[in-house]
């Protein structure tokens, strides 16, 4: 195929106060068609009050083959968690 | 709708034993596999084939019901049927998108459907002759699909599992609207009741075949179970389906067309008579009443839509160029 219709990632916010969540993807020639297709494909039962469409080609992702090294800096920093610190019970809830 | 037992999966794979063992350990720990993760080629191929077949089934499945939209007996039934058929189109799209994450394009999948390399559920190669067929399809065909699809919500491949969760949320309405059509017919005139029984007679066995061949004859099924693509065997799912639907038929005052169908106290389920697997394979291989027409309809839709796809792309290019020119001014 010479001309494949571009792929878009679809993010939907169900209602104000929540964040947009990735729900899937679809093909559309441009952003206007992507938006109306996203409405028809992903919000047939009031699942959304706001839609973002992003060209899939615009997404840069971390490499799953290097997940361990990439996230390593956070692994051994247990002092970032509240339970690392000893506070006597007498102090009460903190 | 409409997963059916996978036809012709090829789980062959030739990675190192260490790689396969590490992958199996992830599966055993109930970790989800995501598209960019390392995975055995056989796992990828099996999923592309299965998700593709499933997607094609949703899309081809729009045809037998679409056949009745303009002839629905009331505005309410027409609106419901239209919404159901539209849902099936949506299911096909979620599934194509899930398959595409594995590196196959929509165009390739479409070509495979149109030239016969890819299969779809053989239930759609039967004709929808009367309005009762629409009731029976919702009740039994969507019912069988639900049995198949609920365990797929826990499939090890993340995008497939997520698509199935969306699909399952929507299927319940499909089955209920079908059963309600049957209820209405069965509470109607004798002619309506006869029509309902006739539809059940024609759809019962093909519905049982939707679960695929018996476990003993189901090649590659073990590998799919080990990879947690599949959670229950074909026969287990078929049994669940029979146990759920036989009492529903009784409630309607209808009889399933199987003289050997009776409750078996010892096993806590219904026994059933032999399934005609020759018919199943004949229909899978193209010998059903509607095989040619279904593919011809899909081919026509694809060909007739070519100019729309082309025009939309050209229009998008033109708008992009215009925007760029305006920005440059
Ligand atoms: Fe359905
Ligand atoms: Fe469906």
């Amino acid at each position: 195929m010479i001309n494949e219709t571009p792929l878009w990632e679809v993010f939907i916010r169900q209602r104000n106060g929540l964040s947009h969540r990735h729900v899937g993807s679809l093909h559309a020639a441009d952003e206007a068609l992507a938006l109306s297709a996203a409405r028809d494909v992903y919000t047939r039962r009031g699942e959304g009050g706001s839609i973002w469409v992003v060209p899939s080609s615009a997404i840069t992702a971390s490499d799953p083959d290097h997940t361990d090294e990439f996230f390593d800096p956070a692994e051994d920093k247990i002092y970032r968690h509240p339970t690392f610190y000893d506070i006597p019970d007498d102090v009460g809830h903190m | 709708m409409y997963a059916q037992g996978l036809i012709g999966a090829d789980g062959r794979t030739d990675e190192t034993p260490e790689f396969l063992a590490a992958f199996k350990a992830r599966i055993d720990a109930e970790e989800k596999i995501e598209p960019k993760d390392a995975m055995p080629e056989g796992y990828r191929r099996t999923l592309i084939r299965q998700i593709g077949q499933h997607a094609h089934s949703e899309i081809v499945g729009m045809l037998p019901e679409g056949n009745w939209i303009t002839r629905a007996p009331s505005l309410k039934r027409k609106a419901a049927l239209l919404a159901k058929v539209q849902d099936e189109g949506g299911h096909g799209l979620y599934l194509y998108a899930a398959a595409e994450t594995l590196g196959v394009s929509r165009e390739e999948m479409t070509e495979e459907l149109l030239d016969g390399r890819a299969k779809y559920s053989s239930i759609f190669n039967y004709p929808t002759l009367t309005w009762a067929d629409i009731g029976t399809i919702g009740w039994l065909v969507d019912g069988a699909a639900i049995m198949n699809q609920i365990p797929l919500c826990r499939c090890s491949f993340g995008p497939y599992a997520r698509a199935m969760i969306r699909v399952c949320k929507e299927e319940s309405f499909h089955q209920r609207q079908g059963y309600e059509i049957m209820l209405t017919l069965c509470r109607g005139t004798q002619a309506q009741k006869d029509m309902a029984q006739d539809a059940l007679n024609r759809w019962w066995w093909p519905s049982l075949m939707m679960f695929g061949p018996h476990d003993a004859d189901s090649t590659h099924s073990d590998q799919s179970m080990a990879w947690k693509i599949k959670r229950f065997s074909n026969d287990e799912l078929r049994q669940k389906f029979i146990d759920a639907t036989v009492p529903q038929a009784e409630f309607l005052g209808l009889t399933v067309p199987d003289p050997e169908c009776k409750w078996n106290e010892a096993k806590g389920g219904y026994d059933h008579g032999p399934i005609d697997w020759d018919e199943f394979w004949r229909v899978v291989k193209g010998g059903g009443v509607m095989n040619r027409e279904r593919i011809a309809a899909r081919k026509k839709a694809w060909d007739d839509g070519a100019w729309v796809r082309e025009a939309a792309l050209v229009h998008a290019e033109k708008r992009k160029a215009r925007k760029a020119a305006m920005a440059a001014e």
Side-chain angles (χ1 to χ4, degrees), chain B residues 1-2 54 58 84 87-89 91-92 142 145 149 167 171 174:
Chain B
M1 295 181 229
Y2 294 109
H54 196 161
E58 303 285 350
K84 177 187 191 290
D87 273 355
E88 306 303 358
H91 297 175
D142 287 77
Q149 289 171 164
V167 166
E171 288 292 355
H174 298 179

Side-chain angles (χ1 to χ4, degrees), chain A residues 16-90:
Chain A
N16 283 16
L18 301 174
S19 40
H20 285 75
R21 271 186 63 184
H22 183 244
V23 293
S25 48
L26 50 78
H27 289 275
D30 62 27
E31 65 278 9
L33 290 170
L35 265 182
S36 55
R39 177 202 57 202
D40 293 344
V41 177
Y42 291 104
T43 65
R44 285 193 301 284
R45 289 176 178 78
E47 292 93 333
S50 167
I51 302 178
W52 292 347
V53 289
V54 181
S56 305
S57 59
I59 290 179
T60 308
S62 61
D63 181 350
D65 290 338
H66 297 103
T67 299
D68 290 348
E69 306 94 283
F70 191 70
F71 293 100
D72 181 52
E75 274 289 280
D76 54 357
K77 297 182 176 56
I78 48 173
Y79 46 84
R80 284 177 173 169
H81 298 277
T83 45
F84 180 74
Y85 302 92
D86 276 331
I87 306 289
D89 287 350
D90 302 342

Side-chain angles (χ1 to χ4, degrees), chain B residues 218-282:
Chain B
S218 174
T219 37
H220 309 298
S221 202
D222 293 348
Q223 182 62 80
S224 282
M225 291 277 237
W227 277 333
K228 299 199 173 162
I229 295 170
K230 215 172 142 70
R231 298 272 177 170
F232 296 98
S233 76
N234 296 354
D235 284 329
E236 283 171 322
L237 290 169
R238 183 165 21 241
Q239 185 66 50
K240 274 186 197 221
F241 174 76
I242 294 172
D243 293 345
T245 49
V246 170
Q248 291 166 353
E250 279 167 11
F251 186 86
L252 293 170
L254 301 178
T255 323
V256 301
D258 176 3
E260 291 176 52
C261 177
K262 54 175 171 296
W263 179 254
N264 178 333
E265 190 61 50
K267 81 170 180 189
Y270 288 88
D271 288 331
H272 65 83
I275 295 173
D276 184 355
W277 293 111
D278 291 342
E279 172 178 323
F280 175 76
W281 288 114
R282 188 172 56 74

Side-chain angles (χ1 to χ4, degrees), chain B residues 35-102:
Chain B
K36 298 271 162 6
D37 291 356
M39 63 182 83
E41 232 357 79
Y43 180 82
R44 180 190 303 275
R45 265 205 314 271
T46 299
L47 277 166
I48 288 179
R49 184 151 189 143
Q50 175 161 345
I51 303 172
Q53 262 178 31
H54 196 161
H56 296 324
S57 301
E58 303 285 350
I59 299 297
V60 176
M62 297 167 80
L63 299 169
E65 290 178 299
N67 177 37
W68 277 90
I69 289 174
T70 57
R71 294 178 287 163
S74 69
L75 188 57
K76 171 186 156 187
R77 295 293 185 213
K78 185 174 185 164
L81 185 57
L82 202 52
K84 177 187 191 290
V85 172
Q86 193 187 5
D87 273 355
E88 306 303 358
H91 297 175
L93 294 179
Y94 311 151
L95 285 160
Y96 282 130
E100 284 175 84
T101 65
L102 290 163

